[in-house]
């Protein structure tokens, strides 16, 4: 499969959460036509929640690719006399011999560096102050690819603002909380009930995906007349995603699959994201409430500083966070992104949504759009003239483009009080400890509406 075949199908747009930011950003541009913000309204604070940039395969996946290399040699040997794709017989993992993985790679550094430059250019009045860590707060998880992403972003944001080296860089602080207690950015690791849910639901999710693998294994094996197993196809799909995203190579492993098979494999990946990170279970995103509260607290503090006429440079103007897909997907769900009005009402009542429809039907929930490498949500707080009512507004940008908020009647530019009342407050009824550390075996602690999906069986997917 070429990068874009004659029908315009580009595999790089169908890699779920392994999609490169530059590719996803092109798609995000078409989400909605943004509101026209009155010229007299000025941004006074910015919140950023971003995923780390493009990374190398993790240690576990490196071992899988090494195993695949040996397995492909077996398949080629057993196919003597048959026509085998030329690359298959001589394929060697590009990461052969590498024992550590998961680090931010150069493309990922560039993604975040350029994002930092664009954010500064887009909001020049927010970033005109001299740097101070209390004015521009930068936080990352303790995972190195997240903190490296924060550094890359900061180098772009503050480029030519200092005196270090030919790029006139400057030093800046990146803070992290202990991963065992980071309820704002690694809530998924601090929430015991979520960890139990994920462990219990994992096999059921695999079972939902299994018919996809069986169907595609049979068709690929027949088409190429090679003895592929389900594990082979699973590993080859993973290789296709790494090839296309990290190496920009689409003419080898990806060519084993037809466009319709790629779409189905992407859907299966998105199904897992939906059920284990997204709207498939209210706990997936409710546990992210400490992050939502932190965002709101930063806005309230910015308004207080402005109304108390604090001198410029004495209060925070941006809070910048760098984390993971397991952070950005739940946070996007808390905002109600990629939902219509009726679906939004369901999540307000903590009810799970229907599974994303299978291709060729279209769907709004796509990992490639919601949480690509470097994917991000920005919440920009605006102050409008005193004569106007209301005075403060929030604009939400997803991957730098305006996005509809169902809680704000489908608008991206929302009065702050409406945002609080309709988007934030409905999520605040459960404390993090009650959600995450309550004993589910204790009848006094059970909340049937909250836990029914967690304890229930998965919805059936028709294949």
């Amino acid at each position: 499969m070429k990068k874009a075949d004659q029908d315009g199908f580009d595999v790089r747009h169908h890699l779920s959460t392994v999609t490169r930011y530059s590719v996803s950003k092109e798609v995000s541009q078409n989400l909605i036509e943004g509101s026209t913000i009155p010229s007299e309204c000025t941004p006074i604070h910015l919140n950023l929640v971003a995923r780390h940039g493009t990374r190398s395969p993790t240690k576990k996946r490196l071992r899988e690719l090494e195993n695949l290399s040996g397995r492909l040699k077996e398949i080629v040997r057993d196919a003597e006399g048959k026509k085998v794709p030329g690359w298959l017989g001589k394929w060697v993992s590009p990461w052969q011999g590498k024992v550590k993985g998961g680090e931010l790679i150069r493309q990922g550094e560039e993604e975040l560096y350029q994002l930092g430059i664009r954010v500064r250019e887009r909001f020049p009045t927010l970033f005109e102050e001299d740097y101070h860590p209390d004015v521009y707060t930068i936080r990352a998880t303790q995972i190195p690819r997240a903190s490296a992403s924060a550094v890359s972003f900061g180098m772009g944001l503050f480029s030519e603002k200092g005196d270090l080296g030919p790029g006139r860089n400057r030093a800046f602080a990146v803070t992290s909380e202990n991963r065992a207690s980071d309820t704002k950015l690694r809530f998924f690791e601090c929430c015991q009930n979520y960890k139990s849910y994920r462990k219990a639901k994992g096999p059921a999710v695999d079972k939902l995906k299994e018919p996809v693998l069986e169907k595609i294994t049979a068709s690929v094996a027949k088409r190429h007349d090679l003895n592929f197993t389900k594990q082979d196809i699973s590993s080859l799909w993973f290789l296709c995603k790494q090839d296309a995203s990290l190496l920009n190579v689409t003419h080898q492993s990806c060519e084993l699959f037809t466009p319709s098979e790629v779409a189905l494999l992407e859907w299966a990946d998105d199904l897992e994201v939906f059920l284990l990170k997204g709207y498939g279970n209210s706990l997936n995103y409710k546990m992210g409430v400490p992050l939502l509260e932190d965002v709101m607290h930063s806005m309230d503090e910015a308004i207080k500083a402005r109304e108390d006429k604090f001198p410029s440079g004495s209060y925070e103007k941006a809070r910048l966070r760098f984390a993971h897909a397991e952070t950005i997907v739940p946070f996007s769900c808390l905002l109600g992104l990629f939902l219509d009005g009726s679906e939004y009402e369901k999540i307000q009542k903590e009810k799970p949504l229907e599974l994303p429809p299978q291709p060729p039907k279209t769907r709004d929930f796509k990992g490639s759009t919601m949480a690509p490498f470097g994917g991000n949500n920005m919440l920009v707080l605006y102050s409008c003239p005193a004569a106007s009512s209301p005075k403060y507004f929030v604009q939400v940008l997803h991957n730098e483009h305006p996005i509809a908020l169902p809680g704000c009647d489908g608008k991206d530019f929302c009065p702050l009080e409406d945002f609080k009342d309709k988007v934030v407050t409905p999520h605040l009824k459960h404390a993090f400890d009650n959600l995450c550390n309550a004993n589910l075996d204790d009848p006094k602690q059970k909340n049937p509406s909250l836990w029914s999906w967690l304890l229930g069986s998965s919805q059936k997917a028709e294949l």
Side-chain angles (χ1 to χ4, degrees), residues 367-387:
S368 59
T369 308
M370 186 175 264
F373 288 129
N376 58 84
N377 289 318
M378 283 187 268
L379 289 84
V380 187
L381 178 64
Y382 282 84
S383 174
C384 294

Side-chain angles (χ1 to χ4, degrees), residues 231-261:
Q231 181 57 53
D232 295 334
I233 294 301
S234 177
S235 296
L236 284 164
W237 171 235
F238 174 74
L239 174 60
C240 168
K241 291 187 289 186
Q242 303 304 303
D243 276 350
S245 184
L246 278 64
L247 307 177
N248 216 27
V249 172
T250 59
H251 62 279
Q252 294 185 354
S253 51
C254 293
E255 282 199 329
L256 293 172
F257 306 105
T258 65
S260 61
E261 288 166 351

Side-chain angles (χ1 to χ4, degrees), residues 49-108:
V49 181
R51 187 188 179 194
H52 60 76
T54 303
R55 60 161 167 79
S56 71
T58 59
K59 186 176 180 179
K60 178 182 176 182
R61 291 298 207 168
L62 289 173
R63 288 197 299 269
E64 181 179 345
L65 291 174
E66 287 296 327
N67 293 337
L68 177 64
S69 181
R71 175 66 186 143
L72 292 181
K73 288 182 175 64
E74 286 179 24
I75 291 171
V76 171
R77 188 173 61 245
D78 293 344
E80 190 175 351
K82 297 177 183 177
K83 187 178 180 181
V84 176
W87 69 272
L88 204 62
K90 52 190 178 185
W91 183 78
V92 175
S93 169
W95 299 276
Q96 185 179 33
K98 194 170 168 29
V99 293
K100 293 185 181 293
E103 78 281 3
L104 191 71
I105 62 174
R106 288 181 179 181
Q107 294 96 317

Side-chain angles (χ1 to χ4, degrees), residues 276-343:
L276 299 183
K277 298 184 181 79
Y279 290 118
N281 170 21
S282 66
L283 181 62
N284 291 346
Y285 49 90
K286 292 287 184 185
M287 65 178 171
V289 162
L291 172 57
L292 186 62
E293 289 177 320
D294 186 57
V295 167
M296 291 312 305
H297 177 71
S298 70
M299 291 187 192
D300 290 339
E301 288 292 299
I303 290 171
K304 184 177 186 303
R306 185 177 182 84
E307 296 190 342
D308 290 348
K309 295 184 168 46
F310 284 14
S312 187
S314 66
Y315 57 91
E316 184 184 82
K317 286 200 165 183
R319 193 169 294 188
L320 312 162
R321 308 167 186 82
F322 300 86
H324 309 273
E326 292 87 350
T327 313
I328 193 79
V329 172
F331 184 64
S332 297
C333 292
L334 286 170
L335 298 177
L337 305 189
F338 304 102
L339 296 181
D340 62 29
S342 61
E343 291 173 324

